[in-house]
Amino acid sequence: MSHPRSRVSGVTADFTPDRPALRSWLPGFVGLAAIWGSSFLFIKVGVAELHPLHLTLYRVAAGALTLLVVLVVVRDRLPRDPRVWGHLAVVAGLGVALPFTLFGYGEQRVESMLAGIWNATTPLVVLPLAVLVFRTERLTARGAVGLGLGFAGVTVVLGVWQGVGGAHFAGQLMCFGAAACYGLAIPYQKRFIAGRTLSGLSLSAAQLVVATVQLAIVAPLVAGPPPLPTALSPRVLAAVLALGALGTGLAFVIHLRNIRIVGASTASTVTYLIPVFAVLIGAVVLGERLTWHQPVGALIVLLGVAVSQGLVGRRRPVAAAVDRRALAESAAR
């Protein structure tokens, strides 16, 4: 029996009409949201001792090594086409090196749970860029309403009525800038990379390898030589390994499994759980607290994202919704 197919970040995924048992995919789905939601905690721990660029370098290198090992195990290979590597250099910079670093800078100034909330704004950036710049989507009335709601939620999260300025406000803008980088990388990847016959594992591993090279060049110039791993405290070293090996390597394998079982559309809804886990983990582990307008704004943002993607009201075609939600798969974050 044939099923409709769609492509997410270079991965061809099946959408099956059958409903698999919850126990076959729900534990992995929730576990993935917990892993990606906890990434903001690990960033907070890491920047306590590491410059944000050094933290990003180490986590990306750990993630690249993890996926390279997985490539060997599954007998996959890296891309061979030089043009693919050229496009991957752009995606690595916009979708990995820059946003990871911006989240690090941001979390020097704001709570980890707030960074997790800002991560959820990515689809709001993806849609207008896909429509106006990359021309891979059309703006519908539902999309326009969703964007309006989403950006209203952004102003509520920022608390603009309290005035602008200060380190906390700057930190929030850095986190939003990181989400905007993801928003640039997603439609670029869809336009120039996603249609190629390469596995998502191969593309992701190559992307992390390129990002590691980029960061190895830039980080010493901006922040000086990175400290040796032996110079890090066990707590920070564990956070770096968790960000790279767990948050990028293992999480990617889990996500691919979820796509195979329930399809890319359902698997991509993990986006909506990530800020929930980020808030819970930040509150329980770090004792962080949010002011009233931040979770309220987050709910408005998520409502706007849901409306723009057709999850509220009449559903839109699955493939169109998936392309705008693919950001959650870029890392954790």
Side-chain angles (χ1 to χ4, degrees), residues 210-274:
V210 174
T212 300
V213 174
Q214 292 171 339
L215 289 161
I217 295 171
V218 174
L221 296 176
V222 176
L228 294 174
T230 54
L232 302 177
S233 67
R235 184 182 184 209
V236 171
L237 186 59
V240 171
L241 292 175
L243 280 169
L246 183 63
T248 301
L250 178 61
F252 186 81
V253 174
I254 295 173
H255 187 63
L256 286 182
R257 179 179 180 274
N258 290 344
I259 290 175
R260 285 195 299 268
I261 295 175
V262 296
S265 181
T266 300
S268 295
T269 58
V270 70
T271 305
Y272 301 100
L273 276 182
I274 291 174

Side-chain angles (χ1 to χ4, degrees), residues 186-197:
I186 291 298
Y188 184 94
Q189 186 166 344
K190 183 193 174 197
R191 176 81 178 269
F192 297 107
I193 299 176
R196 301 176 184 270
T197 56

Side-chain angles (χ1 to χ4, degrees), residues 10 27-28 41 43-44 56 61 89 99 114 124 146 159 171 186 188 232 238-239 247 272 295 313 315 329:
L41 164 68
I43 293 172
K44 192 73 172 179
T56 303
L114 193 52
L124 300 177
I186 291 298
Y188 184 94
L232 302 177
Y272 301 100
R315 290 186 63 87
E329 303 145 18

